[in-house]
Amino acid sequence: MRPMIQTEPTQLTYRWIMHFEEGNKDLKQLLGGKGANLAEMTRAGLAVPPGFTITTEACRAYYQGHQLPEGLLDEMKQSMTELEQKKDQRFGDPTAPLLISVRSGSVNSMPGMMDTILNLGLNDETVKGLAELSGNERFALDCYRRFIQMFSNVVFGVEGVYFEKILRTMKQSRKVETDQQLTAQDLAELIVSYKNVVKTNAGKPFPQDVQEQLLLAVEAVFRSWNNHRAIIYRRLHAIPDEQGTAVNIQSMVFGNLGDDCGTGVLFTRNPSTGERKLFGEYLTNAQGEDVVAGVRTPKAISEMEVEMPEIYKLLSETAAQLEAHYRDVQDIEFTIEKNRLYMLQTRNAKRTAQAAVKTAVDFVNEDMITKAEAIERLDTAHLNQLLHPSIDPSITLNVLATGLPASPGAASGQIVFDADTAESWSKKQGKVILVRSETTPEDIHGVIVAQGILTSHGGMTSHAAVVARGMGKPCVCGCEAAEVDDELKQLSINGRTYQEGDWISIDGATGRVIDGKVELTDVNLSDELLTVLSWADEIRSMKIYTNADHPEDARKAREFGAEGIGLCRTEHMFFGHDRLPVVQAMILAENLRDRLEALDRLLPMQQSDFEGLFKAMDGYPVTVRLLDPPLHEFLPNLDELNEQMADFLKNGREQSNDANKLRTLIKKVRSLHEVNPMLGQRGCRLGILYPEIYDMQIRALFQAAVISIHKGVEVIPHIMIPLVGHYTELKFFHERITSMALEIFTAAGVECDYEIGTMIEVPRAALTAEKLVPYADFFSYGTNDLTQMTFGYSRDDAEGKFLTYYVDQKVLPNNPFQVLDRDGVGQLVDLATQKGKKLKPTLQAGVCGEHGGDPESIMYCQEIGLDYVSCSPYRVPLARIAAAQAKLAADRRHSNCNLS
Ligand code: PEP
Ligand code: MG
């Protein structure tokens, strides 16, 4: 609960507002990140312009009641009076005008997604007062015209282009390049035109009453919580819709009062690389939005050391103080007004995954945090970008230009010039690079689907850069050599012109823009990441296996730290061009003899596959799942076959040998047709109907084991049966496997330990787990099928048909094929594990469905005491970290329990 605050002399009880002096960093839920940190800085005695925060609770009440909550107006009035006293200025008074900023501030940082208004309190009268007091008419008019634009855009929805067009025309007619070159007279004319734009487009005049301005602004910031881009961003980052935003009202300081003024953004360490060095950008004689909006290209912070040495020194000291206080990299906004430094914001910096890992390691080495804290801080979804490909340094590239290396990773794609096209092309054509002169938060849906982003304007802290880094997308920004015509959909760079659809590549680590498509190379784990992973390994208790079907995948997974293969889908070995004809011959065989003959041909191939896996996993378990999919998947598509037959008919060749063969094939494909193949003749059902198929696989596995043992490889075969629903199915194979192993080992005179397990993919198997235990050394939860069968959703259709809609409409909290459904599917996993381990404490239990690589699901696996998860090779490093985080969370829960 928020504290209740009494104020003098009115005794007004604040319910919806908290002043900066009263809050602190721990009140983020109530004050939003920005408000909480402004309060913390104020309390630490830093120069923060005074102000107050309207709480997220007020925002939630606004959405519930569809109007500003009762009492808020009085509290705002009272708070403004206090602010007037602190600043010795008055809101709306031309003789000493108080000007304020009105900024959104959500609990989780959502950069640029909601609205902000600066210079509120200006009108036709106060602007004169500001001119007089500052002794700078041009400055006052400049503030006013910016305010009109910003306010009208945020409050009335008047598009920025209307104002920008007038500004451009004015600059052309005055024959000047920059805004700063416009005179006071020019700005006064602009203001008249701007007000006309507002009247025409908003249908009402620009409000002159400052109280009205304030109310409209607060409401508009509340509303901006639900604008399109904010909603998309929340979905992407799993931020709850109900949270709401706080609104920060703060007295203005001016970075645009002259050359002894400025504004900037500073990171205490490089957010791209993690290097321990101040990193940032600033502009002299400018207001805050100029830096982040990417309109003017800012100067590097290092230049400030020369240009404003005193300020630079103070700024560096403050940065160090803030970093030590928060024990994390800070992203700081500051303004210099007449040589005085003010802090406007500090927050934990968004950074690339590379920087996140490096700073985590550095902080541990600098004794700022513990190893466990370092692991807990890592965002596994974010670390994904470290597993992104890069450009092979040995390739000769046609580098067109170099921009700012804003977010690492390399990408190739077809050029698109707007977010909507990015979205539609990425669905149809695949890979796109979003090329813009600069991105705005409205482009977020394009940024999400693009392989990478290239902008011609904007610095390292521009919107494009911040958003791309957060998402782990390669991004090159501020590439001034690239001329982007957003309207003509054309990119001119280094004498070449590219149209929509042309291929281009970018390297977000170096800033290079490269002609055409380039081959991307594999991922190399940095020393820092290896360090963090080794800490994760010290902490975690669950094993991390991999899903791998080929030796190359297995090798990659081992490099990434996999401790075994948790699932080898043997059917994937059947699809190779040398295998498929034999597999088809096996399926089309008219009798057992023909089928056995085809299986005999398959056996050596399958055996060499297994030898490859054993070699790659030397000393680690290799879990082989016997054939799972329905057989028709190996045969050609019926429609295509019918078309071929139609061709024979057309050419009068319907009696030819080939046509007869085709007819037999069509008949077989038809006979294998099932209405619900996923519930049909697949998995162990197939193995029971055609035991010779599974026999071949079992034989191949043990023969491969024997040969590998002879070669000095340490083999640990695990063999598992898919889609078991009744214990008799498992028992059937248990007997066959043990007797075949005995036969092969006896003949070879060598042997090894092996394990037999069952997949649990059918709810009945989970419910009757105790009956399976006598025949199983391990339970491997195939949570893809288990989700399909528990929900009754077809996994091949649901996502394309209704599941996305379900998630959008919040019918379901998330896609259960991605995040394990704890209540239903999870309950089955939990139940089966408990039953199994009760009867056989040595029973190993793990997940090998897609959920095995999902951090939230891994958390659940730890909670219910699973022994391992298995995921695709590229997810192994993340799973190692997620498993360590899960263990730390479990330990914390445990120690909380012990304390209470
Ligand atoms: C599963 O069902 O979770 C599983 C791993 O098997 P597959 O995805 O191959 O059906
Ligand atoms: Mg399955």
Side-chain angles (χ1 to χ4, degrees), residues 259-386:
D259 287 340
D260 54 355
C261 302
T263 187
V265 178
L266 176 76
F267 291 82
T268 53
R269 303 188 186 210
N270 186 316
S272 204
T273 62
E275 189 192 359
R276 191 182 181 184
K277 191 170 159 207
L278 287 188
F279 176 89
E281 291 166 333
Y282 75 108
L283 281 169
T284 39
N285 201 8
Q287 270 200 330
E289 301 310 295
D290 297 341
V291 179
V292 282
V295 180
R296 281 163 62 190
T297 301
K299 307 179 212 181
I301 203 78
S302 50
E303 286 183 38
M304 190 192 263
E305 198 169 3
V306 182
E307 201 177 14
M308 298 174 161
E310 297 278 299
I311 296 283
Y312 180 80
K313 185 165 173 282
L314 181 59
L315 185 60
S316 339
E317 284 163 9
T318 311
Q321 187 185 343
L322 285 170
E323 186 181 90
H325 183 72
Y326 285 92
R327 302 192 310 138
D328 204 346
V329 183
Q330 294 300 292
D331 164 359
I332 295 164
E333 278 177 27
F334 62 90
T335 284
I336 303 151
E337 184 186 86
K338 299 254 170 230
N339 267 326
R340 214 176 148 212
L341 176 67
Y342 290 93
M343 309 309 289
L344 299 188
Q345 170 165 308
T346 191
R347 59 183 170 190
N348 292 343
K350 291 224 176 289
R351 63 206 86 167
T352 61
Q354 184 191 340
V357 171
K358 174 155 171 47
T359 52
V361 172
D362 287 351
F363 281 156
V364 171
N365 292 338
E366 291 162 31
D367 282 335
M368 291 224 316
I369 59 174
T370 63
K371 287 179 188 175
E373 280 172 313
I375 294 287
E376 273 172 326
R377 276 184 187 186
L378 294 172
D379 174 353
T380 41
H382 192 199
L383 290 190
N384 212 353
Q385 66 180 258
L386 292 181

